[in-house]
Amino acid sequence: MSARRFDLRTLLALMAGVLMVTLMGMTVVDVIGRYVFNAPLRGAAELTELLLASVIFLGLPAVALADEHVTVDLVTDRLPDWIQPWRQGLIGIFSGAILAVVAWRIWIYAAQIGGYGGATTTLRLPLAPLGYFCAACTAFGAALSLGVPLWDLYRRRKG
Amino acid sequence: MEHWPVGLAIVGVLLLLGVPISMALAGVGLAGVAAIIGWTPALSLLGSTFFDTGRDYSLSVLPLFLMMGNFVVQSGIASELYNSAYAWLRHRKGGLATATVIACGAFSSVCGSSMATAATMTRIALPSMRKFGYPDQLSTAAIAAGGTLGILIPPSVILVFYGIMTQQDIGKLFLAGLIPGVIGIIGYSIAVRISIAWQGIDLPVEPKLPLLDRIRALKGTAGALILFAFVMGGIYLGVFTPTESAGMGAGGALLLVVLSGRFSFGGLVAVLYDTMKTTAMMFFILFGALTFTNYVNMSGMTRDIQAFLALFGDTPMVTILVILVIYLLLGCVLESLSMIMLTVPVFYPIVAAQGIDLIWFGIFVVMVTEISYITPPVGMNAFVLRSVVPDVRLGTIFRGLGPFVMMDVVRVALLTAVPGLVLLLT
Amino acid sequence: QTTLTVANWLPPSHPLVSELIVPMTEQIEEATGGTVVANILPAPLGPPPAHFDFAVNGVADITFGVQGYNAGRFKTTNIAELPFLGDSAEAISVAYWRIFEAMLKDAGEYDDVKVLAVFTHGPGEIFLKEGDVASADVMQGQKIRVGGGIVHEVASALGAVPVEGPSSKAYELLSQGVADGILFPYESVSFFKLIPQLSDAISVPGGLYNTSFYIVMNKGKWESLTPEQQEQIDSVTGEALARMAGQMWDNADAAGLAAMEGEIEVVTATDAQMEAWKAALQPVVDAKIAEAAETGVDAQAAYDMLKAEIAKETGGE
Ligand code: NA
Ligand code: NA
C-alpha cells in the first residue's frame, strides 16, 4: 500500500504542479500583457475559474490519501484507543457515501450542461468535460475516503 | 418555527463525533433541503453547489496566496523576517506573537479575505514561532485571530458586498474599517498578554540585544519588504487588482526562491502538491457550508429571526444587542458571508428605521460575523490553520483563541458605545 | 393554496427585485384570487448562472437571470442585445417579447421551462475616467471593464482594451485604476457604486448594447396548476410582465442618471462618432445575427420585426 500511495502521490503532485504554475502564470501574463503591451490575455478570468476547479477537485484524492479531512477533535481525542479505528471506519463509510453522491450529481450536472452546449463566456470552452473531470476526481476521492480507514482497520485487526 | 434548529443540532453532534466538517455540513444540508423540496431537486442543487462554486473567480486568491506563502517559506524570507523580529523583540515576553498580529494587519492591507490571510500567515509565521519556543496554543490563536483583520482593513470583499447590498458608499465603508482594524490589532496584542498571564504559557525571554546588533539584524527583512512593496505598490499604483495581487505575489515569491538559490524541481512540486491539498480541504469545507446554508435559506430561518427581533421593540441599543447575540449564536455553525447574505437584507431596513447609521452597521456586522471564524465548533480560520498544519489539534487552537474572542467582544462594545470611532474618517 | 418558491440572487433592494419580482408575485396572487402565492428566498441558492437550471430541475419554482451568463445555451438572445436598437427599455422589451412569441421560441431554447417573460435592460452607454469625449477615437486604447458576451466584442470593435471581470469586481477594477472605464446602463453604474470613480459619460443614441433577461417557471409546477390558474397567471405575465420590466429599467436608468448630476458629465455622442461606431460595429451585428440563425430561426426576419415593433411602440406613445 505505501509504495502505491507513493506512486499515486507522485502522479498527483506532477499534475498539481502543472495546474498551479499555469494558474499563477496566467495572472502574471495577463497583468504584464495589459500593463506593458496593452494586450491582456483573452479569457484570463474564465481560465482562472476552470483551473481553480481543477485544482480543488484534483486535490480531493490527495486529501483522502493522507486521511486529512479536517475534523473537530474536541471530544474524539478523549475516547479510548481501541474505539478509534472503528470510529474512523464508520466515518470513512459516511464520507465515502457523501462523496459518491456528490460525484454522481456532478456527473449528471455535467451531462446536463453538455446537453445544451454550456461554455465559458469569452473563449467558448465547453464546460461539460471539466464537470466530468471533477466528478471523476470526486469519485476517486470517495473511494480513497472509504478505503484508507478501512484498510487501516483491516491491518490493525490482523495485528 | 421550522426544523432548522434540529438541523443545527445534528450538525453539532456529527462534528463532535469526528465526522469531517465538510461531510457533516453537506450531508445534513442535503437531507434538510430534500425534506423541504424533495430528493430529486435537492440532489441536483448539490451538484450545482459543488461544481459552480468551485469556479468562482474571486475565490482563486486562496490557492494563490497559499502558494505565495509556501514560496516565501521556501526562499528563506520568512525565517529571516522572524529572526529579525526576534532580535528586536526577544526581551519582550510574547513579542513574536504580537509581531505576528501586526504582520497579519499588514498583510490584510493587500488581501481582501480572512481565510487567505490566515492561510498565508500560518505558512509564514508558524514554523518560526515554533523554532523560538512559542507553544502552538498561542501562535495558532494569534494567527487565526489576526486573520480576521483581513476583511476589516481594506481591501475587503465583504465590505464591497455589504455596500452593494445596502447601497452604501464603498469608499466610506473602507475608511470606516480602518480605525476598528487598528483597534483590533491593539486588542489582539492585549489578548497575547492575557494569554500569557492566564493560561500559564511559558515563553523564553532573553536579554535585550545592543542597538547595533538589532540594526544589523534588519538586513534579513529585505526580501520580505521587497515582496510586500511590490504587491502593495502594484495594487495602489493600479497595475493590478487585489484579486490579481495573489497571482502576482506568488510569481514574485517564486522569483525570490530562484534568486535565493534554493530552487529545486522536487521542492517546487512538493510545495505545489501541498498547496493543492490544502486548497481542496478548504474548498470542500466551503462547499459543505454552502450546502448547509441552502438548507437554512429554504427553511425560513430568516423569517423566524425577523419575528424574534420584532419582539424587542424599537430601541436602537436593544436591537443592536439582540443582533449581536443572534450573530454570536449563529456564528457557532455558520460562516460570515452566509450569515451576512441570510440576515443583512432583513436587518438593515430595521436598524435604518431606528436611526442607526448604515456605514457604522456595516462595520459592526463585519466585526461581529468575523468572530464566527474563530469560535467553535465551526470556525473557518481555525479550520484553515488545521488544514495548513494538520499536526495541531483543533482543541488547542480554540483554547488559545479564548482571550482573542474576549477582546473582540470588548472591541464591539467599545465601538457601539463610541460610534464616532467608526465614523471619524468617513 | 399553492406556494411558488422564487430564487433570488440579487439584494432585495435592487429594483429588479423590489420593482419587478415583488409586484409580479403580488399580481399573480391577486389574479389567482389568492390561490397561488409566492415565497421569495432571502439569500441566493447559488451563483447567477446556475439559476436557469434551478427552474429546469425544480430547485426553485420561479427563477430569473441573464441568458448571457450561460454562454453557448441561448443564441436567439443575440438579436435583442444588438447595438442601436432604441433608448427605451420598455419599447425594446415589449417588442422582444413579441418576436419571442412569434419566432424565437421555435428555436427550442426554453422548452424545459415555462417562460413568464423575456425582456432587456436599458441601453448601455460609455463611462470613462478621462478622455476626449468628442473624438471618434475616444475609446482607442482605453482599458474597459467588460463582462462577457456582446459587451466584450463591442469594446474590442471600438478599439478599447477589454479588462475582464464579473460585475461585482467592477468597483475594484475602477477604483484601483486597473480599468479606465466601463460600458454599462446608467442604473448599473449607480447600483454598483461606481459614480465616484468616473468623470465622463457618452450617451449613445439607441445604446451600444442591451442585456437580455428571463423570468421562467419550473414546468412540472406549471402543469400542476389548474387551467384556470394558468390562464390567470398568463394574464399578468408575458407581454404585460415584459412591459413592467422595461418600465422598471427605464425608471432605474432615470434615477441612475439623476444620481450622476454634478458628478459625471454626460454628453451625447456626436454625429461623427455615431457614423464611425456604426461602421465599426456592423461586423459584430452581422456575426451575432448569423449566430442566432444557427438555431434554425430566421434571425434576419426576427431582427427586422424587432426594429419594426420597437418603432411601433415608440411612435405609439
Ligand atoms: Na483586507
Ligand atoms: Na464559529
Side-chain angles (χ1 to χ4, degrees):
Chain A
M1 187 71 185
S2 71
R4 258 177 295 155
R5 274 194 203 185
F6 176 76
D7 287 336
L8 185 56
R9 201 167 293 154
T10 313
L11 178 71
L12 286 173
L14 286 173
M15 287 172 77
V18 173
L19 288 177
M20 305 273 321
V21 167
T22 317
L23 185 63
M24 177 184 78
M26 223 153 43
T27 314
V28 175
V29 171
D30 184 36
V31 167
I32 293 177
R34 182 178 69 216
Y35 193 70
V36 182
F37 304 106
N38 245 9
L41 189 63
R42 193 174 148 82
E46 59 191 47
L47 284 173
T48 300
E49 293 175 355
L50 302 186
L51 280 166
L52 176 66
S54 313
V55 168
I56 295 167
F57 284 89
L58 188 64
L60 181 67
V63 175
L65 198 60
D67 203 3
E68 278 180 356
H69 291 293
V70 181
T71 60
V72 177
D73 48 26
L74 302 172
V75 172
T76 53
D77 276 1
R78 293 176 198 170
L79 298 173
D81 270 350
W82 65 267
I83 227 172
Q84 297 294 2
W86 293 99
R87 192 181 61 84
Q88 300 280 4
L90 283 176
I91 286 171
I93 294 170
F94 183 85
S95 304
I98 300 265
L99 286 174
V101 172
V102 170
W104 168 48
R105 292 316 307 197
I106 296 179
W107 188 275
I108 302 248
Y109 189 43
Q112 193 177 4
I113 293 172
Y116 56 75
T120 63
T121 317
T122 305
L123 298 175
R124 296 296 166 103
L125 299 169
L127 280 175
L130 178 73
Y132 292 128
F133 173 77
C134 293
C137 288
T138 312
F140 193 30
L144 287 171
S145 295
L146 177 72
V148 170
L150 288 187
W151 177 253
D152 283 345
L153 179 63
Y154 171 75
R155 267 194 331 188
R156 281 191 201 214
R157 294 285 295 161
K158 269 181 81 177
Chain B
M1 188 173 285
E2 307 278 345
H3 47 63
W4 58 270
V6 181
L8 291 181
I10 296 176
V11 167
V13 171
L14 287 178
L15 291 181
L16 291 181
L17 290 175
V19 174
I21 292 141
S22 51
M23 300 303 136
L25 288 168
V28 177
L30 172 67
V33 172
I36 297 169
I37 62 173
W39 278 100
T40 313
L43 283 165
S44 92
L45 178 58
L46 182 75
S48 161
T49 302
F50 277 68
F51 186 53
D52 291 329
T53 319
R55 290 181 288 124
D56 186 334
Y57 175 71
S58 56
L59 294 177
S60 65
V61 296
L62 265 177
L64 288 167
F65 272 131
L66 207 55
M67 192 162 29
M68 179 179 95
N70 274 328
F71 287 144
V72 165
V73 172
Q74 209 190 8
S75 66
I77 292 176
S79 60
E80 282 166 13
L81 187 65
Y82 269 84
N83 288 346
S84 312
Y86 190 71
W88 281 80
L89 298 166
R90 61 183 210 167
H91 55 286
R92 290 179 180 271
K93 217 172 184 188
L96 274 192
T98 311
T100 300
V101 168
I102 295 169
C104 286
F107 188 69
S108 301
S109 62
V110 297
C111 178
S113 144
S114 281
M115 280 164 74
T117 305
T120 314
M121 288 307 298
T122 309
R123 264 286 165 259
I124 295 175
L126 198 63
S128 295
M129 289 169 80
R130 279 180 173 172
K131 189 179 85 185
F132 289 112
Y134 279 64
D136 285 348
Q137 184 172 335
L138 176 61
S139 33
T140 55
I143 297 167
T148 65
L149 298 168
I151 221 72
L152 204 53
I153 298 175
S156 158
V157 271
I158 291 200
L159 282 178
V160 171
F161 192 82
Y162 174 89
I164 291 173
M165 189 144 75
T166 60
Q167 288 295 292
Q168 297 300 304
D169 186 301
I170 296 165
K172 278 188 186 171
L173 280 167
F174 277 5
L175 287 174
L178 273 174
I179 293 180
V182 171
I183 295 178
I185 295 178
I186 297 170
Y188 292 154
S189 306
I190 297 172
V192 169
R193 297 294 184 86
I194 298 176
S195 305
I196 295 167
W198 287 2
Q199 302 187 329
I201 289 172
D202 187 31
L203 284 174
V205 181
E206 292 186 59
K208 196 170 175 174
L209 267 184
L211 186 62
L212 203 64
D213 289 339
R214 278 184 278 158
I215 289 173
R216 215 171 276 146
L218 281 178
K219 200 173 65 192
T221 59
L225 288 180
I226 290 169
L227 186 65
F228 187 69
F230 168 70
V231 173
M232 201 66 179
I235 291 176
Y236 288 95
L237 293 176
V239 182
F240 43 77
T241 66
T243 315
E244 291 167 337
S245 75
M248 296 303 283
L254 176 59
L255 191 66
L256 289 173
V257 175
V258 174
L259 293 178
S260 73
R262 288 189 177 90
F263 180 85
S264 78
F265 182 74
L268 176 71
V269 170
V271 160
L272 297 178
Y273 179 72
D274 188 75
T275 307
M276 178 179 78
K277 204 171 68 178
T278 313
T279 303
M281 283 186 231
M282 289 186 204
F283 271 88
F284 273 81
I285 294 176
L286 193 64
F287 297 154
L290 289 173
T291 305
F292 188 73
T293 302
N294 280 340
Y295 161 54
V296 173
N297 185 12
M298 289 180 170
S299 73
M301 184 191 84
T302 304
R303 268 197 315 276
D304 293 336
I305 288 184
Q306 199 172 10
F308 179 70
L309 194 57
L311 298 177
F312 295 90
D314 54 3
T315 321
M317 255 332 180
V318 177
T319 303
I320 287 297
L321 195 68
V322 174
I323 290 178
L324 172 68
V325 172
I326 290 173
Y327 277 140
L328 288 180
L329 291 178
L330 289 181
C332 290
V333 183
L334 296 174
E335 53 84 42
S336 176
L337 189 60
S338 300
M339 280 197 281
I340 289 179
M341 287 195 302
L342 284 165
T343 58
V344 165
V346 298
F347 284 169
Y348 91 85
I350 297 175
V351 302
Q354 298 181 2
I356 296 168
D357 185 283
L358 284 179
I359 297 280
W360 179 87
F361 186 65
I363 302 302
F364 169 83
V365 166
V366 166
M367 278 192 306
V368 174
T369 56
E370 280 296 295
I371 298 178
S372 73
Y373 276 94
I374 52 175
T375 54
V378 178
M380 286 300 202
N381 273 8
F383 296 168
V384 164
L385 265 135
R386 236 325 271 287
S387 48
V388 180
V389 271
D391 59 331
V392 183
R393 310 307 293 170
L394 211 49
T396 312
I397 304 175
F398 281 130
R399 250 194 312 281
L401 276 166
F404 292 83
V405 174
M406 216 173 67
M407 287 315 294
D408 267 343
V409 174
V410 170
R411 172 165 57 138
V412 171
L414 176 68
L415 295 175
T416 306
V418 194
L421 287 173
V422 175
L423 301 173
L424 193 65
L425 297 176
T426 61
Chain C
Q1 197 184 44
T2 309
T3 303
L4 303 175
T5 305
V6 184
N8 169 31
W9 46 273
L10 280 167
S13 58
H14 193 284
L16 179 52
V17 180
S18 59
E19 308 291 323
L20 183 69
I21 299 297
V22 172
M24 175 193 78
T25 59
E26 286 164 358
Q27 288 176 4
I28 289 177
E29 184 173 345
E30 200 186 340
T32 58
T35 61
V36 180
V37 296
N39 168 32
I40 302 176
L41 291 176
L45 292 172
H51 278 65
F52 195 86
D53 277 333
F54 286 164
V56 173
N57 297 330
V59 170
D61 299 321
I62 294 179
T63 72
F64 62 88
V66 174
Q67 285 95 333
Y69 291 163
N70 297 110
R73 185 174 204 166
F74 301 98
K75 297 194 168 82
T76 59
T77 314
N78 283 335
I79 296 169
E81 298 194 328
L82 292 174
F84 313 122
L85 283 179
D87 293 322
S88 154
E90 181 185 349
I92 301 173
S93 296
V94 169
Y96 181 23
W97 174 259
R98 288 179 189 157
I99 68 162
F100 174 77
E101 281 278 84
M103 309 177 73
L104 302 184
K105 72 176 178 192
D106 296 335
E109 294 168 330
Y110 300 84
D111 284 358
D112 294 337
V113 291
K114 156 75 182 171
V115 181
L116 299 181
V118 290
F119 56 93
T120 73
H121 202 304
E125 322 281 359
I126 298 172
F127 296 87
L128 297 171
K129 282 179 176 286
E130 59 184 338
D132 178 7
V133 292
S135 158
D137 289 334
V138 61
M139 297 294 282
Q140 212 65 41
Q142 296 261 19
K143 297 191 183 77
I144 297 294
R145 175 269 160 195
V146 299
I150 191 163
V151 190
H152 196 294
E153 285 148 72
V154 167
S156 304
L158 299 184
V161 178
V163 176
E164 297 166 13
S167 50
S168 55
K169 282 270 171 279
Y171 179 85
E172 182 182 286
L173 288 164
L174 285 168
S175 67
Q176 304 289 339
V178 171
D180 306 323
I182 193 164
L183 303 184
F184 247 172
Y186 295 118
E187 173 276 326
S188 306
V189 172
S190 171
F191 181 75
F192 286 103
K193 302 278 129 205
L194 305 178
I195 294 178
Q197 310 298 333
L198 297 159
S199 54
D200 291 291
I202 306 175
S203 160
V204 180
L208 275 181
Y209 71 94
N210 301 292
T211 300
S212 170
F213 289 77
Y214 62 82
I215 304 177
V216 297
M217 187 167 167
N218 175 256
K219 221 166 185 182
K221 195 73 178 187
W222 173 254
E223 279 156 10
S224 75
L225 299 174
T226 67
E228 195 189 2
Q229 286 172 325
Q230 291 181 342
E231 205 173 301
Q232 289 158 342
I233 291 177
D234 276 336
S235 74
V236 292
T237 56
E239 184 172 314
L241 185 56
R243 186 180 293 281
M244 181 160 75
Q247 285 169 347
M248 175 275 297
W249 284 133
D250 285 337
N251 292 338
D253 276 340
L257 182 60
M260 289 170 195
E261 183 78 48
E263 309 249 354
I264 296 180
E265 193 171 347
V266 184
V267 298
T268 305
T270 65
D271 292 341
Q273 282 174 323
M274 288 303 286
E275 199 177 324
W277 293 346
K278 278 186 173 157
L281 291 175
Q282 193 56 45
V284 177
V285 173
D286 295 339
K288 288 284 165 189
I289 291 178
E291 196 187 354
E294 287 169 17
T295 61
V297 301
D298 186 345
Q300 186 62 46
Y303 180 51
D304 294 339
M305 179 178 166
L306 178 72
K307 287 200 288 194
E309 291 293 331
I310 292 171
K312 219 189 280 175
E313 272 297 306
T314 323
E317 276 171 347

